[in-house]
Structure formats: structure tokens, C-alpha cells
Amino acid sequence: NKLALLVLGSICLTANAVETAPYTIVSSDGAYEVREYDGLVVASTPMTGLNYRQDRKESFQSLFKFITGSNDADQKIPMTAPVLFFEMHKDNCMAFVMPADMSLEEVPAPTNTDVMIHEVPSGQYAVFRFSGSWDPSKQLESLAKLKMWMKQQNLNEVAGPIYAFYNSPWVPNFMKRNEVWIQTDGVISSTSFE
């Protein structure tokens, strides 16, 4: 039991040591939040969608190679959290968020032409937090919950969804922090969060 607690403690410390994308909480309602994000600079790569597990593995490897030096500056870039998934130009994409102190112009060019550098727009995002593995059915269930909550709060959907995964694969599923984000225009009904 002591060993198990030490291992869990070590996992928690490791997870908390990684820089996370900064945001300001506008309002909070249990597992739901409205957050304000500045533009997030990301490195992303498309996923074919033919094999979820294999796609995820290959995309992660491409992005990991980029931040460990496969770029025109041979520059190592610190790993941050979360890892993002979203649709762009009809492709499903995986993205690594660049450190907050690195501007779009400061990110070195990838040597892999499948890796793109761009920015996730600044603005307000409605967020629902959930635990568990990277499971497509769980993601869709969480998205449905967020959309229902947004409807109850009279929050308008601008763009989305974005899925955010914060933990390494070896973190137990019940301890994992996962989220789904939907960009909103920030128009909140007068009855929200009362």
C-alpha cells in the first residue's frame, strides 16, 4: 500500500511539473467553466482517422520529434500540457501547445512538412472536465454534456470542439484530467452561475 501511494504521488508530481496553457476563469459551475485564453501557439499534425490508436501514436511521435529537435534550428522545446485534438480544414489534428513565452514568430520551422505551426484563437471557451482514457465514445458523451450545459446557460457556440488531454499514458484513468472546449462569444444569460 505504501508503494502504491508513493507511485501515485510521484505520478501526480510529474503531471504537475509540466507547464500548462495559461487561462483566466471567467465563471465556474462544478465540472463546467468559462475561461479566457490568449491565443495558443501550437504545432499540429493531421490524423487520417483510419485507425484511432495508430493515428494517435504516429501523430504524437511526429510532434514529439519536432519538439526534440526535428526543426530548422535543431531546437529542443519543452513539452507542455494539454495535448489538443480538433478539426481543421476537414482534417482531425493533434497539437502540442508551445510554451507561453514563445511567440508564433519564435517557433522554429518543422522539418516534417506534416507538422504545421499556427495559433488557436484567443477568446472565451466553455469547458467541461472529465476523467478516463482517450476514448472516442467518452469524448462524444462529454461534448454532449457541454453543449447541453451551454444551452442551459444561453452560451453561443462560435467554434469547436477542442479536446484537451493533460496526462501521460501511465497516469491511472481515474486520475486523468481531460477536457472538451467550445469557443463562445462570451454572451452569458443573467441567470448563469447563480
Side-chain angles (χ1 to χ4, degrees), residues 153-182:
Q153 306 302 318
N154 292 330
L155 287 168
N156 299 318
E157 184 176 339
V158 173
I162 297 173
Y163 293 97
F165 298 91
Y166 286 80
N167 304 108
S168 302
W170 55 82
V171 174
N173 284 342
F174 72 93
M175 293 178 66
K176 285 182 177 172
R177 175 185 174 183
N178 310 320
E179 295 169 347
V180 56
W181 308 349
I182 292 178

PDB file of all heavy atoms in Angstrom, residues 153-182:
ATOM      1  N   GLN A 153     -27.193  27.671 -20.240  1.00  0.00           N
ATOM      2  CA  GLN A 153     -26.605  28.964 -19.854  1.00  0.00           C
ATOM      3  C   GLN A 153     -26.770  30.034 -20.933  1.00  0.00           C
ATOM      4  O   GLN A 153     -26.298  31.152 -20.769  1.00  0.00           O
ATOM      5  CB  GLN A 153     -25.103  28.786 -19.560  1.00  0.00           C
ATOM      6  CG  GLN A 153     -24.767  27.709 -18.542  1.00  0.00           C
ATOM      7  CD  GLN A 153     -25.427  27.941 -17.197  1.00  0.00           C
ATOM      8  OE1 GLN A 153     -25.473  29.064 -16.718  1.00  0.00           O
ATOM      9  NE2 GLN A 153     -25.939  26.889 -16.596  1.00  0.00           N
ATOM     10  N   ASN A 154     -27.418  29.694 -22.036  1.00  0.00           N
ATOM     11  CA  ASN A 154     -27.572  30.616 -23.172  1.00  0.00           C
ATOM     12  C   ASN A 154     -26.225  31.093 -23.714  1.00  0.00           C
ATOM     13  O   ASN A 154     -26.059  32.263 -24.071  1.00  0.00           O
ATOM     14  CB  ASN A 154     -28.448  31.824 -22.798  1.00  0.00           C
ATOM     15  CG  ASN A 154     -29.890  31.429 -22.559  1.00  0.00           C
ATOM     16  OD1 ASN A 154     -30.381  30.477 -23.160  1.00  0.00           O
ATOM     17  ND2 ASN A 154     -30.546  32.139 -21.675  1.00  0.00           N
ATOM     18  N   LEU A 155     -25.275  30.167 -23.784  1.00  0.00           N
ATOM     19  CA  LEU A 155     -23.952  30.476 -24.339  1.00  0.00           C
ATOM     20  C   LEU A 155     -23.928  30.067 -25.807  1.00  0.00           C
ATOM     21  O   LEU A 155     -24.281  28.935 -26.146  1.00  0.00           O
ATOM     22  CB  LEU A 155     -22.857  29.715 -23.576  1.00  0.00           C
ATOM     23  CG  LEU A 155     -22.532  30.224 -22.175  1.00  0.00           C
ATOM     24  CD1 LEU A 155     -21.655  29.212 -21.445  1.00  0.00           C
ATOM     25  CD2 LEU A 155     -21.830  31.565 -22.235  1.00  0.00           C
ATOM     26  N   ASN A 156     -23.530  30.964 -26.654  1.00  0.00           N
ATOM     27  CA  ASN A 156     -23.500  30.693 -28.087  1.00  0.00           C
ATOM     28  C   ASN A 156     -22.199  30.007 -28.490  1.00  0.00           C
ATOM     29  O   ASN A 156     -21.125  30.381 -28.023  1.00  0.00           O
ATOM     30  CB  ASN A 156     -23.643  31.996 -28.880  1.00  0.00           C
ATOM     31  CG  ASN A 156     -24.959  32.690 -28.586  1.00  0.00           C
ATOM     32  OD1 ASN A 156     -26.004  32.052 -28.501  1.00  0.00           O
ATOM     33  ND2 ASN A 156     -24.917  34.004 -28.410  1.00  0.00           N
ATOM     34  N   GLU A 157     -22.303  29.027 -29.375  1.00  0.00           N
ATOM     35  CA  GLU A 157     -21.132  28.297 -29.879  1.00  0.00           C
ATOM     36  C   GLU A 157     -20.544  29.041 -31.071  1.00  0.00           C
ATOM     37  O   GLU A 157     -21.227  29.303 -32.048  1.00  0.00           O
ATOM     38  CB  GLU A 157     -21.550  26.883 -30.286  1.00  0.00           C
ATOM     39  CG  GLU A 157     -20.405  26.014 -30.737  1.00  0.00           C
ATOM     40  CD  GLU A 157     -20.842  24.580 -31.042  1.00  0.00           C
ATOM     41  OE1 GLU A 157     -21.904  24.149 -30.548  1.00  0.00           O
ATOM     42  OE2 GLU A 157     -20.120  23.905 -31.789  1.00  0.00           O
ATOM     43  N   VAL A 158     -19.263  29.394 -30.972  1.00  0.00           N
ATOM     44  CA  VAL A 158     -18.566  30.090 -32.055  1.00  0.00           C
ATOM     45  C   VAL A 158     -17.740  29.113 -32.882  1.00  0.00           C
ATOM     46  O   VAL A 158     -17.760  29.130 -34.101  1.00  0.00           O
ATOM     47  CB  VAL A 158     -17.661  31.216 -31.495  1.00  0.00           C
ATOM     48  CG1 VAL A 158     -16.799  31.834 -32.588  1.00  0.00           C
ATOM     49  CG2 VAL A 158     -18.505  32.282 -30.817  1.00  0.00           C
ATOM     50  N   ALA A 159     -16.984  28.250 -32.190  1.00  0.00           N
ATOM     51  CA  ALA A 159     -16.136  27.270 -32.873  1.00  0.00           C
ATOM     52  C   ALA A 159     -15.806  26.146 -31.904  1.00  0.00           C
ATOM     53  O   ALA A 159     -15.810  26.324 -30.699  1.00  0.00           O
ATOM     54  CB  ALA A 159     -14.848  27.926 -33.373  1.00  0.00           C
ATOM     55  N   GLY A 160     -15.506  24.997 -32.478  1.00  0.00           N
ATOM     56  CA  GLY A 160     -15.129  23.870 -31.631  1.00  0.00           C
ATOM     57  C   GLY A 160     -15.649  22.585 -32.223  1.00  0.00           C
ATOM     58  O   GLY A 160     -16.186  22.587 -33.326  1.00  0.00           O
ATOM     59  N   PRO A 161     -15.487  21.497 -31.508  1.00  0.00           N
ATOM     60  CA  PRO A 161     -14.869  21.390 -30.200  1.00  0.00           C
ATOM     61  C   PRO A 161     -13.349  21.181 -30.286  1.00  0.00           C
ATOM     62  O   PRO A 161     -12.822  20.808 -31.327  1.00  0.00           O
ATOM     63  CB  PRO A 161     -15.538  20.150 -29.616  1.00  0.00           C
ATOM     64  CG  PRO A 161     -15.770  19.276 -30.824  1.00  0.00           C
ATOM     65  CD  PRO A 161     -16.099  20.240 -31.949  1.00  0.00           C
ATOM     66  N   ILE A 162     -12.698  21.421 -29.153  1.00  0.00           N
ATOM     67  CA  ILE A 162     -11.290  21.068 -28.965  1.00  0.00           C
ATOM     68  C   ILE A 162     -11.239  20.138 -27.763  1.00  0.00           C
ATOM     69  O   ILE A 162     -11.818  20.438 -26.713  1.00  0.00           O
ATOM     70  CB  ILE A 162     -10.427  22.319 -28.696  1.00  0.00           C
ATOM     71  CG1 ILE A 162     -10.452  23.273 -29.889  1.00  0.00           C
ATOM     72  CG2 ILE A 162      -8.998  21.919 -28.341  1.00  0.00           C
ATOM     73  CD1 ILE A 162      -9.767  24.610 -29.630  1.00  0.00           C
ATOM     74  N   TYR A 163     -10.561  19.009 -27.917  1.00  0.00           N
ATOM     75  CA  TYR A 163     -10.364  18.092 -26.789  1.00  0.00           C
ATOM     76  C   TYR A 163      -8.964  18.299 -26.228  1.00  0.00           C
ATOM     77  O   TYR A 163      -7.994  18.418 -26.994  1.00  0.00           O
ATOM     78  CB  TYR A 163     -10.555  16.637 -27.229  1.00  0.00           C
ATOM     79  CG  TYR A 163     -11.980  16.337 -27.624  1.00  0.00           C
ATOM     80  CD1 TYR A 163     -12.377  16.365 -28.959  1.00  0.00           C
ATOM     81  CD2 TYR A 163     -12.946  16.044 -26.657  1.00  0.00           C
ATOM     82  CE1 TYR A 163     -13.693  16.113 -29.324  1.00  0.00           C
ATOM     83  CE2 TYR A 163     -14.256  15.788 -27.008  1.00  0.00           C
ATOM     84  CZ  TYR A 163     -14.623  15.821 -28.340  1.00  0.00           C
ATOM     85  OH  TYR A 163     -15.935  15.575 -28.696  1.00  0.00           O
ATOM     86  N   ALA A 164      -8.860  18.345 -24.903  1.00  0.00           N
ATOM     87  CA  ALA A 164      -7.586  18.619 -24.240  1.00  0.00           C
ATOM     88  C   ALA A 164      -7.266  17.492 -23.263  1.00  0.00           C
ATOM     89  O   ALA A 164      -8.091  17.164 -22.400  1.00  0.00           O
ATOM     90  CB  ALA A 164      -7.670  19.955 -23.493  1.00  0.00           C
ATOM     91  N   PHE A 165      -6.075  16.915 -23.407  1.00  0.00           N
ATOM     92  CA  PHE A 165      -5.635  15.810 -22.556  1.00  0.00           C
ATOM     93  C   PHE A 165      -4.343  16.213 -21.854  1.00  0.00           C
ATOM     94  O   PHE A 165      -3.378  16.603 -22.508  1.00  0.00           O
ATOM     95  CB  PHE A 165      -5.439  14.537 -23.388  1.00  0.00           C
ATOM     96  CG  PHE A 165      -6.710  14.074 -24.043  1.00  0.00           C
ATOM     97  CD1 PHE A 165      -7.046  14.497 -25.322  1.00  0.00           C
ATOM     98  CD2 PHE A 165      -7.583  13.239 -23.375  1.00  0.00           C
ATOM     99  CE1 PHE A 165      -8.225  14.100 -25.932  1.00  0.00           C
ATOM    100  CE2 PHE A 165      -8.765  12.824 -23.973  1.00  0.00           C
ATOM    101  CZ  PHE A 165      -9.086  13.248 -25.250  1.00  0.00           C
ATOM    102  N   TYR A 166      -4.336  16.127 -20.524  1.00  0.00           N
ATOM    103  CA  TYR A 166      -3.261  16.704 -19.718  1.00  0.00           C
ATOM    104  C   TYR A 166      -2.226  15.701 -19.227  1.00  0.00           C
ATOM    105  O   TYR A 166      -1.156  16.116 -18.781  1.00  0.00           O
ATOM    106  CB  TYR A 166      -3.851  17.414 -18.495  1.00  0.00           C
ATOM    107  CG  TYR A 166      -4.523  18.726 -18.833  1.00  0.00           C
ATOM    108  CD1 TYR A 166      -5.813  18.768 -19.360  1.00  0.00           C
ATOM    109  CD2 TYR A 166      -3.869  19.930 -18.637  1.00  0.00           C
ATOM    110  CE1 TYR A 166      -6.423  19.968 -19.673  1.00  0.00           C
ATOM    111  CE2 TYR A 166      -4.469  21.146 -18.943  1.00  0.00           C
ATOM    112  CZ  TYR A 166      -5.749  21.152 -19.462  1.00  0.00           C
ATOM    113  OH  TYR A 166      -6.349  22.344 -19.782  1.00  0.00           O
ATOM    114  N   ASN A 167      -2.522  14.414 -19.250  1.00  0.00           N
ATOM    115  CA  ASN A 167      -1.667  13.453 -18.548  1.00  0.00           C
ATOM    116  C   ASN A 167      -0.985  12.447 -19.454  1.00  0.00           C
ATOM    117  O   ASN A 167      -1.455  12.162 -20.555  1.00  0.00           O
ATOM    118  CB  ASN A 167      -2.489  12.701 -17.489  1.00  0.00           C
ATOM    119  CG  ASN A 167      -3.169  13.628 -16.523  1.00  0.00           C
ATOM    120  OD1 ASN A 167      -4.380  13.786 -16.570  1.00  0.00           O
ATOM    121  ND2 ASN A 167      -2.403  14.271 -15.661  1.00  0.00           N
ATOM    122  N   SER A 168       0.100  11.897 -18.943  1.00  0.00           N
ATOM    123  CA  SER A 168       0.823  10.833 -19.632  1.00  0.00           C
ATOM    124  C   SER A 168       0.013   9.539 -19.600  1.00  0.00           C
ATOM    125  O   SER A 168      -0.841   9.358 -18.727  1.00  0.00           O
ATOM    126  CB  SER A 168       2.170  10.596 -18.956  1.00  0.00           C
ATOM    127  OG  SER A 168       2.928  11.782 -18.948  1.00  0.00           O
ATOM    128  N   PRO A 169       0.296   8.621 -20.526  1.00  0.00           N
ATOM    129  CA  PRO A 169      -0.459   7.360 -20.582  1.00  0.00           C
ATOM    130  C   PRO A 169      -0.394   6.534 -19.301  1.00  0.00           C
ATOM    131  O   PRO A 169      -1.316   5.785 -18.999  1.00  0.00           O
ATOM    132  CB  PRO A 169       0.192   6.610 -21.750  1.00  0.00           C
ATOM    133  CG  PRO A 169       0.818   7.667 -22.584  1.00  0.00           C
ATOM    134  CD  PRO A 169       1.249   8.739 -21.632  1.00  0.00           C
ATOM    135  N   TRP A 170       0.714   6.655 -18.534  1.00  0.00           N
ATOM    136  CA  TRP A 170       0.856   5.814 -17.347  1.00  0.00           C
ATOM    137  C   TRP A 170       0.084   6.348 -16.136  1.00  0.00           C
ATOM    138  O   TRP A 170       0.033   5.711 -15.101  1.00  0.00           O
ATOM    139  CB  TRP A 170       2.330   5.614 -16.989  1.00  0.00           C
ATOM    140  CG  TRP A 170       3.107   6.884 -16.805  1.00  0.00           C
ATOM    141  CD1 TRP A 170       3.146   7.669 -15.691  1.00  0.00           C
ATOM    142  CD2 TRP A 170       3.955   7.499 -17.759  1.00  0.00           C
ATOM    143  NE1 TRP A 170       3.956   8.753 -15.900  1.00  0.00           N
ATOM    144  CE2 TRP A 170       4.474   8.676 -17.163  1.00  0.00           C
ATOM    145  CE3 TRP A 170       4.340   7.189 -19.074  1.00  0.00           C
ATOM    146  CZ2 TRP A 170       5.348   9.536 -17.834  1.00  0.00           C
ATOM    147  CZ3 TRP A 170       5.203   8.053 -19.730  1.00  0.00           C
ATOM    148  CH2 TRP A 170       5.702   9.201 -19.115  1.00  0.00           C
ATOM    149  N   VAL A 171      -0.522   7.531 -16.234  1.00  0.00           N
ATOM    150  CA  VAL A 171      -1.365   8.029 -15.148  1.00  0.00           C
ATOM    151  C   VAL A 171      -2.664   7.213 -15.143  1.00  0.00           C
ATOM    152  O   VAL A 171      -3.280   7.027 -16.192  1.00  0.00           O
ATOM    153  CB  VAL A 171      -1.677   9.538 -15.341  1.00  0.00           C
ATOM    154  CG1 VAL A 171      -2.672  10.030 -14.299  1.00  0.00           C
ATOM    155  CG2 VAL A 171      -0.398  10.353 -15.278  1.00  0.00           C
ATOM    156  N   PRO A 172      -3.072   6.690 -13.975  1.00  0.00           N
ATOM    157  CA  PRO A 172      -4.317   5.894 -13.917  1.00  0.00           C
ATOM    158  C   PRO A 172      -5.509   6.682 -14.455  1.00  0.00           C
ATOM    159  O   PRO A 172      -5.595   7.901 -14.252  1.00  0.00           O
ATOM    160  CB  PRO A 172      -4.481   5.611 -12.411  1.00  0.00           C
ATOM    161  CG  PRO A 172      -3.109   5.758 -11.840  1.00  0.00           C
ATOM    162  CD  PRO A 172      -2.418   6.800 -12.660  1.00  0.00           C
ATOM    163  N   ASN A 173      -6.416   5.976 -15.143  1.00  0.00           N
ATOM    164  CA  ASN A 173      -7.543   6.635 -15.802  1.00  0.00           C
ATOM    165  C   ASN A 173      -8.359   7.523 -14.866  1.00  0.00           C
ATOM    166  O   ASN A 173      -8.781   8.618 -15.251  1.00  0.00           O
ATOM    167  CB  ASN A 173      -8.462   5.593 -16.459  1.00  0.00           C
ATOM    168  CG  ASN A 173      -7.866   5.057 -17.748  1.00  0.00           C
ATOM    169  OD1 ASN A 173      -6.972   5.648 -18.332  1.00  0.00           O
ATOM    170  ND2 ASN A 173      -8.357   3.916 -18.195  1.00  0.00           N
ATOM    171  N   PHE A 174      -8.567   7.061 -13.622  1.00  0.00           N
ATOM    172  CA  PHE A 174      -9.411   7.832 -12.711  1.00  0.00           C
ATOM    173  C   PHE A 174      -8.741   9.136 -12.273  1.00  0.00           C
ATOM    174  O   PHE A 174      -9.400  10.038 -11.755  1.00  0.00           O
ATOM    175  CB  PHE A 174      -9.794   6.983 -11.483  1.00  0.00           C
ATOM    176  CG  PHE A 174      -8.673   6.735 -10.517  1.00  0.00           C
ATOM    177  CD1 PHE A 174      -8.471   7.586  -9.426  1.00  0.00           C
ATOM    178  CD2 PHE A 174      -7.828   5.642 -10.676  1.00  0.00           C
ATOM    179  CE1 PHE A 174      -7.437   7.359  -8.530  1.00  0.00           C
ATOM    180  CE2 PHE A 174      -6.794   5.414  -9.781  1.00  0.00           C
ATOM    181  CZ  PHE A 174      -6.598   6.274  -8.713  1.00  0.00           C
ATOM    182  N   MET A 175      -7.417   9.248 -12.489  1.00  0.00           N
ATOM    183  CA  MET A 175      -6.688  10.462 -12.115  1.00  0.00           C
ATOM    184  C   MET A 175      -6.458  11.396 -13.295  1.00  0.00           C
ATOM    185  O   MET A 175      -5.941  12.498 -13.126  1.00  0.00           O
ATOM    186  CB  MET A 175      -5.323  10.084 -11.513  1.00  0.00           C
ATOM    187  CG  MET A 175      -5.404   9.379 -10.181  1.00  0.00           C
ATOM    188  SD  MET A 175      -3.765   8.938  -9.580  1.00  0.00           S
ATOM    189  CE  MET A 175      -3.041  10.561  -9.284  1.00  0.00           C
ATOM    190  N   LYS A 176      -6.834  10.968 -14.484  1.00  0.00           N
ATOM    191  CA  LYS A 176      -6.540  11.770 -15.670  1.00  0.00           C
ATOM    192  C   LYS A 176      -7.448  13.000 -15.767  1.00  0.00           C
ATOM    193  O   LYS A 176      -8.634  12.933 -15.478  1.00  0.00           O
ATOM    194  CB  LYS A 176      -6.688  10.918 -16.940  1.00  0.00           C
ATOM    195  CG  LYS A 176      -5.529   9.964 -17.126  1.00  0.00           C
ATOM    196  CD  LYS A 176      -5.653   9.156 -18.400  1.00  0.00           C
ATOM    197  CE  LYS A 176      -4.414   8.273 -18.555  1.00  0.00           C
ATOM    198  NZ  LYS A 176      -4.531   7.329 -19.664  1.00  0.00           N
ATOM    199  N   ARG A 177      -6.827  14.093 -16.196  1.00  0.00           N
ATOM    200  CA  ARG A 177      -7.573  15.322 -16.442  1.00  0.00           C
ATOM    201  C   ARG A 177      -7.756  15.480 -17.948  1.00  0.00           C
ATOM    202  O   ARG A 177      -6.802  15.654 -18.688  1.00  0.00           O
ATOM    203  CB  ARG A 177      -6.817  16.528 -15.885  1.00  0.00           C
ATOM    204  CG  ARG A 177      -7.485  17.862 -16.213  1.00  0.00           C
ATOM    205  CD  ARG A 177      -6.632  19.024 -15.747  1.00  0.00           C
ATOM    206  NE  ARG A 177      -7.197  20.300 -16.191  1.00  0.00           N
ATOM    207  CZ  ARG A 177      -6.626  21.480 -15.981  1.00  0.00           C
ATOM    208  NH1 ARG A 177      -5.478  21.555 -15.340  1.00  0.00           N
ATOM    209  NH2 ARG A 177      -7.205  22.589 -16.422  1.00  0.00           N
ATOM    210  N   ASN A 178      -8.993  15.399 -18.381  1.00  0.00           N
ATOM    211  CA  ASN A 178      -9.352  15.598 -19.780  1.00  0.00           C
ATOM    212  C   ASN A 178     -10.411  16.690 -19.843  1.00  0.00           C
ATOM    213  O   ASN A 178     -11.176  16.876 -18.894  1.00  0.00           O
ATOM    214  CB  ASN A 178      -9.951  14.317 -20.387  1.00  0.00           C
ATOM    215  CG  ASN A 178      -9.107  13.092 -20.129  1.00  0.00           C
ATOM    216  OD1 ASN A 178      -7.899  13.162 -20.198  1.00  0.00           O
ATOM    217  ND2 ASN A 178      -9.756  11.978 -19.829  1.00  0.00           N
ATOM    218  N   GLU A 179     -10.461  17.390 -20.957  1.00  0.00           N
ATOM    219  CA  GLU A 179     -11.454  18.454 -21.110  1.00  0.00           C
ATOM    220  C   GLU A 179     -11.938  18.524 -22.552  1.00  0.00           C
ATOM    221  O   GLU A 179     -11.234  18.125 -23.478  1.00  0.00           O
ATOM    222  CB  GLU A 179     -10.849  19.817 -20.743  1.00  0.00           C
ATOM    223  CG  GLU A 179     -10.445  19.936 -19.290  1.00  0.00           C
ATOM    224  CD  GLU A 179      -9.626  21.175 -18.992  1.00  0.00           C
ATOM    225  OE1 GLU A 179      -9.137  21.841 -19.936  1.00  0.00           O
ATOM    226  OE2 GLU A 179      -9.458  21.477 -17.794  1.00  0.00           O
ATOM    227  N   VAL A 180     -13.130  19.076 -22.719  1.00  0.00           N
ATOM    228  CA  VAL A 180     -13.611  19.458 -24.044  1.00  0.00           C
ATOM    229  C   VAL A 180     -13.904  20.956 -23.971  1.00  0.00           C
ATOM    230  O   VAL A 180     -14.477  21.436 -22.995  1.00  0.00           O
ATOM    231  CB  VAL A 180     -14.843  18.631 -24.490  1.00  0.00           C
ATOM    232  CG1 VAL A 180     -15.993  18.700 -23.501  1.00  0.00           C
ATOM    233  CG2 VAL A 180     -15.286  19.042 -25.885  1.00  0.00           C
ATOM    234  N   TRP A 181     -13.434  21.697 -24.999  1.00  0.00           N
ATOM    235  CA  TRP A 181     -13.609  23.153 -25.074  1.00  0.00           C
ATOM    236  C   TRP A 181     -14.462  23.502 -26.290  1.00  0.00           C
ATOM    237  O   TRP A 181     -14.317  22.907 -27.352  1.00  0.00           O
ATOM    238  CB  TRP A 181     -12.280  23.882 -25.262  1.00  0.00           C
ATOM    239  CG  TRP A 181     -11.169  23.577 -24.309  1.00  0.00           C
ATOM    240  CD1 TRP A 181     -11.230  22.871 -23.147  1.00  0.00           C
ATOM    241  CD2 TRP A 181      -9.796  23.990 -24.452  1.00  0.00           C
ATOM    242  NE1 TRP A 181      -9.991  22.816 -22.556  1.00  0.00           N
ATOM    243  CE2 TRP A 181      -9.087  23.495 -23.335  1.00  0.00           C
ATOM    244  CE3 TRP A 181      -9.117  24.737 -25.411  1.00  0.00           C
ATOM    245  CZ2 TRP A 181      -7.725  23.705 -23.162  1.00  0.00           C
ATOM    246  CZ3 TRP A 181      -7.755  24.958 -25.250  1.00  0.00           C
ATOM    247  CH2 TRP A 181      -7.071  24.452 -24.121  1.00  0.00           C
ATOM    248  N   ILE A 182     -15.311  24.501 -26.122  1.00  0.00           N
ATOM    249  CA  ILE A 182     -16.036  25.099 -27.247  1.00  0.00           C
ATOM    250  C   ILE A 182     -15.908  26.610 -27.125  1.00  0.00           C
ATOM    251  O   ILE A 182     -16.234  27.177 -26.073  1.00  0.00           O
ATOM    252  CB  ILE A 182     -17.528  24.691 -27.269  1.00  0.00           C
ATOM    253  CG1 ILE A 182     -17.666  23.199 -27.577  1.00  0.00           C
ATOM    254  CG2 ILE A 182     -18.303  25.520 -28.294  1.00  0.00           C
ATOM    255  CD1 ILE A 182     -19.091  22.688 -27.576  1.00  0.00           C
TER     256      ILE A 182
END
